């Protein structure tokens, strides 16, 4: 007779209900993979679930879950930091593994939660918190862990990528594209965390911690959203041979860590340019392994639910990790965004002759009507702007080459 | 004091020596990840290694390795099926895990070797056999295993992808592009297994077995190489809105499995089109998880060596798998390629009016000089050609939309 793995779902919104649905739909495949049936023993939600098939399992008191020794995995899909953090910590301390799709709580408290998991011999897993359904975080614990990672570039927010794709394809303005995203359910009623880049910033902080172990506490200085993007940016990017995308980048050289979220010119031959609409993609410079990229649905009920379920299976099979992952608090200041040496596209009104003495190296991508579109690689924004003193800079965007 | 994991390397060519180099270069990172230092105890090769730093560890008699209880992981990088198969089988039976980059032996004998690994409580791992450095096979055992996979499309051969990219970018012919690939070391002296599609076919067989458990024995009927690709194909693909790539596809509906390797029109908005040159990419339709794609260096000394090392770490940490993966021999005949319902681009000399009564559904992609370029979805080649009876078909290629 096949065993039963009892789980509890905290939060029965879009993703929580998706987990229940996908567990039911893929019941046979999951039982085969795990050797046990997964049973939902409790669902914690403020809503009245008595009309649903889960009515008999609905609870409103988290203590019921905490005190039931039969529950071995708690799925936290509450969103926000509280009570998500308190519930997760209590569950770990009670010897239950916790899996989550909640990037806020991971980005803010991941170090504490991973430490608690280690102490209690259980798992804290959060594959679904970055890149939705993309099998990404597991790779850091597995195929990538012998590799020396130097840089991560990600299109990590489906809402903004949809808006920018729509602006590009339909030549629409930001507000129109946002309305369309809302209509299709790709943008929430209050999309400010998406639009401002804060959501992507949380996710790149999690990826940086996966790569290098140190969890950075938020730094808004590194974060620029998409609300100022216009058709002029699209036209400029197109002249440069790319498209505008909101790219989150983490780059590390020695002890220096740079983090940035900003609208960028992603060059057409960079594989990240393949991520359109609500798709996400993450490209990792993984030393000897070379560049690898992971692509998939960065959001959505079923992809995210599937990622949660892959964590449930991992937590069930390997209740305690032999070499548990820990995040430390990142001990150094981040590189000042203005000082970070990276790549830029800029549009300037000047003659070619005037450039040579100002810039050590550059590439002219387009020239018309006295306006030059340039690519300058491996330079800081500060140095670049100083070099351009007295020249009219019409456009300046980070480039992802 | 930190422990030591002793390994033996069979075959000290490009990849075998790459494993030794990367183990040395990433020594610190690997020891951190594993909690043990990895030591190369033996290298088996026909060449004289006495002039190298590995001279003291060179052996020519496999029995020395087999009989040394200190060796816990054997890395088989011999290529070809023999003696690779015999050595691997003997190592597994001696209680040593085996990791390999050898797709020939996996595609042909993977079922036997996985069964032997299970019987002996050790691992047989082959991440490097498909997609070089791309962290791909581990994902099937991990994030993807609760998912119902319906289709896999892969650009799985770097040599042919380089040649096709070169033909596209430089408008060169097949032979010229092949010469350039040889000059750059992307093509072997005898590249026939690459050019014919046989190499990509072995890899898609391995991926199909990872997805559905059944290992197909080779069927050349499904395999079409790139030697007949010309600039006419490139021009046709371009008019259709895509590029020519050698795509290996495995698709499953109920018990029906279709396998195909052929030059295809990959549409520009398909993320696989991002894989140029020697890069590989694999796109997987993973049910509720949605489409995911993995991209990276499909070949090359260091990427492949890095994938071998990730398997060494996995074999060391989890000497025996709790739920060992097995391949069965695939018990059903493959779908006849002519009967497989998929998507096609074709170029026909006819009037639009003549099409409606012949084809249930189609889309005109381009029209000029009495020639129509069409996309027909979800149709068999047989049905398509029957429908076109009496019409001049100028081009017909599988489409990857």
């Amino acid at each position: 007779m096949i065993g039963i793995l009892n789980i509890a779902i905290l939060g029965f919104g879009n993703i929580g209900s998706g987990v229940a649905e996908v567990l039911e739909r893929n019941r046979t495949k999951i039982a085969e993979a795990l050797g046990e049936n997964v049973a939902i023993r409790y669902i914690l939600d403020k809503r009245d679930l008595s009309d649903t098939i889960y009515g008999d399992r609905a609870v409103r008191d988290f203590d019921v879950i905490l005190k039931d020794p039969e529950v071995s995995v708690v799925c936290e899909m509450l969103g926000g930091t509280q009570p998500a953090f308190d519930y997760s910590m209590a569950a770990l301390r009670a010897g239950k593994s916790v899996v989550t799709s909640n990037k806020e709580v991971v980005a803010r408290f991941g170090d504490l939660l991973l430490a608690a998991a280690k102490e209690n011999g259980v798992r804290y897993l959060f594959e679904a918190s970055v890149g939705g359904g993309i099998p990404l975080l597991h790779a850091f614990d597995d195929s990538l862990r012998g590799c020396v990672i130097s840089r991560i570039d990600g299109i990590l927010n489906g809402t903004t990528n949809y808006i920018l794709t729509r602006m590009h394809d339909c030549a629409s303005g930001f507000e129109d594209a946002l309305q369309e995203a809302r209509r299709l359910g790709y943008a929430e009623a209050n999309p400010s965390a998406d639009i401002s880049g804060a959501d992507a910033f949380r996710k790149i902080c999690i990826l940086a911690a996966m790569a290098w172990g140190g969890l950075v506490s938020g730094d808004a200085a590194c974060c620029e959203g998409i609300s100022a993007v216009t058709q002029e940016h699209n036209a400029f990017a197109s002249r440069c041979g790319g498209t505008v995308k909101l790219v989150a980048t983490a780059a590390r050289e020695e002890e220096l860590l740079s983090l940035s979220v900003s609208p960028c010119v992603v060059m057409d031959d960079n594989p990240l340019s393949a991520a359109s609409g609500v798709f996400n993609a993450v490209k990792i410079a993984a030393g000897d392994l070379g560049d690898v990229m992971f692509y998939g649905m960065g959001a959505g009920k079923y992809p995210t639910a599937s990622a949660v379920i892959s964590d449930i299976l991992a937590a069930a099979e390997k209740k305690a990790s032999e070499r548990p992952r820990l995040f430390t608090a990142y001990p150094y200041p981040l590189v000042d965004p203005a000082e970070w040496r990276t790549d830029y596209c800029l549009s300037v009104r000047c003659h070619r002759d005037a450039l040579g003495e100002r810039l050590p190296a550059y590439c002219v991508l387009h020239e018309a009507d006295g306006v030059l579109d340039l690519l300058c690689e491996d330079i800081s924004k500060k140095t670049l702007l100083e070099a351009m003193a007295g020249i009219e800079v019409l456009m300046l965007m980070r480039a992802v080459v």
Side-chain angles (χ1 to χ4, degrees), chain A:
Chain A
M1 179 166 146
I2 190 167
I4 290 175
L5 173 80
N6 284 297
I7 68 167
I9 294 177
L10 314 186
F12 206 62
N14 194 34
I15 301 178
S17 61
V19 169
E21 273 182 63
V22 176
L23 280 174
E24 181 55 37
R25 189 153 55 218
N26 294 357
R27 170 171 293 280
T28 312
K29 182 85 202 259
I30 290 166
E32 262 175 40
L34 185 64
E36 290 182 301
N37 281 312
V38 178
I40 300 170
R41 195 168 171 94
Y42 300 107
I43 294 172
L44 178 91
D45 203 278
K46 277 175 291 190
R47 273 160 291 197
D48 181 4
L49 301 174
S50 57
D51 281 353
T52 74
I53 57 165
Y54 303 103
D56 56 333
R57 284 164 276 181
V59 291
R60 300 205 176 181
D61 179 2
F62 179 63
D63 273 355
V64 174
I65 294 168
L66 203 60
K67 288 179 179 154
D68 186 339
E70 296 294 314
V71 173
S72 49
V73 180
V74 171
C75 307
E76 183 269 299
M77 266 89 67
L78 294 164
T81 52
Q82 285 296 3
F85 172 69
D86 286 349
Y87 286 2
S88 298
M89 195 54 113
L92 294 168
R93 288 181 175 151
K96 302 176 193 306
S97 289
V98 174
V99 310
T100 187
S101 58
N102 184 335
K103 58 244 170 194
E104 276 179 86
V105 79
V106 178
R108 183 118 172 240
F109 299 115
D111 50 349
L112 302 177
L113 291 160
L114 284 167
K118 181 186 176 188
E119 276 163 34
N120 294 282
V122 291
R123 312 291 304 272
Y124 182 64
L125 298 169
F126 39 91
E127 177 66 70
S129 69
V130 184
I134 306 175
L136 180 59
L137 302 191
H138 285 199
F140 281 91
D141 276 333
D142 183 354
S143 306
L144 296 175
R145 67 195 167 140
C147 299
V148 178
I149 294 169
S150 56
R151 178 169 164 148
I152 303 168
D153 289 291
I155 294 168
L156 295 174
N157 182 276
T159 305
T160 49
N161 203 45
Y162 174 81
I163 291 171
L164 292 173
T165 303
R166 173 95 189 166
M167 286 175 70
H168 176 271
D169 292 350
C170 305
S172 54
F174 171 76
E175 285 299 334
D176 285 351
L178 172 58
Q179 287 313 318
E180 183 64 15
R182 278 212 177 93
R183 198 182 65 78
L184 294 167
Y186 297 154
E188 296 170 41
N190 177 3
S192 61
D194 298 310
I195 303 300
S196 70
D199 175 79
F201 190 76
R202 283 180 197 125
K203 290 169 178 168
I204 196 71
C205 288
I206 295 171
L207 292 178
M210 293 300 290
W212 303 299
L215 189 63
V216 169
S217 51
D219 186 333
C222 309
C223 204
E224 183 190 339
I226 65 160
S227 54
V229 174
T230 65
Q231 286 303 335
E232 277 73 52
H233 295 89
N234 281 340
F236 167 59
S238 173
R239 295 197 308 269
C240 293
T243 49
V244 177
K245 295 191 176 290
L246 185 71
V247 180
T249 299
R252 178 156 174 176
E253 266 186 274
E254 307 291 332
E255 295 305 344
L256 298 175
L257 177 63
S258 303
L259 291 182
S260 170
V261 173
S262 65
C264 293
V265 179
V266 177
M267 294 302 188
D268 287 341
D269 55 2
N270 187 305
L272 283 175
S273 66
S276 304
V278 292
F279 279 90
N280 281 196
V282 178
K283 183 158 161 276
I284 302 167
D288 289 306
L289 195 65
D291 283 351
V292 293
M293 188 178 83
F294 299 81
Y295 164 100
M297 294 289 285
K301 179 174 183 166
Y302 299 122
T304 308
S306 299
V308 170
I309 290 169
S310 80
D311 275 350
I312 295 173
L313 301 192
E317 272 208 336
K318 221 173 158 187
K319 201 178 172 228
S321 176
E322 285 165 42
R323 299 189 56 74
R325 169 173 285 283
L326 291 174
F327 290 168
T328 58
Y330 185 73
Y332 307 105
L334 293 180
V335 173
D336 177 344
E339 304 274 3
W340 177 35
R341 290 173 72 95
T342 185
D343 311 318
Y344 290 93
C345 282
L346 70 167
S347 188
V348 291
R349 193 178 297 281
C350 87
H351 286 284
R352 268 178 194 250
D353 302 345
L355 286 175
E357 58 205 35
R358 290 167 174 267
L359 284 172
Y362 61 91
C363 165
V364 177
L365 301 171
H366 185 265
E367 181 170 12
D369 306 325
V371 173
L372 295 174
D373 299 312
L374 309 173
L375 173 67
C376 297
E377 294 186 275
D378 193 24
I379 192 167
S380 75
K381 194 173 191 174
K382 191 173 164 218
T383 306
L384 186 58
L385 289 175
E386 281 168 6
M388 290 293 124
I391 288 182
E392 190 183 359
V393 177
L394 304 166
M395 282 279 169
L396 175 62
M397 291 179 88
R398 188 154 70 85
V400 181
V401 296

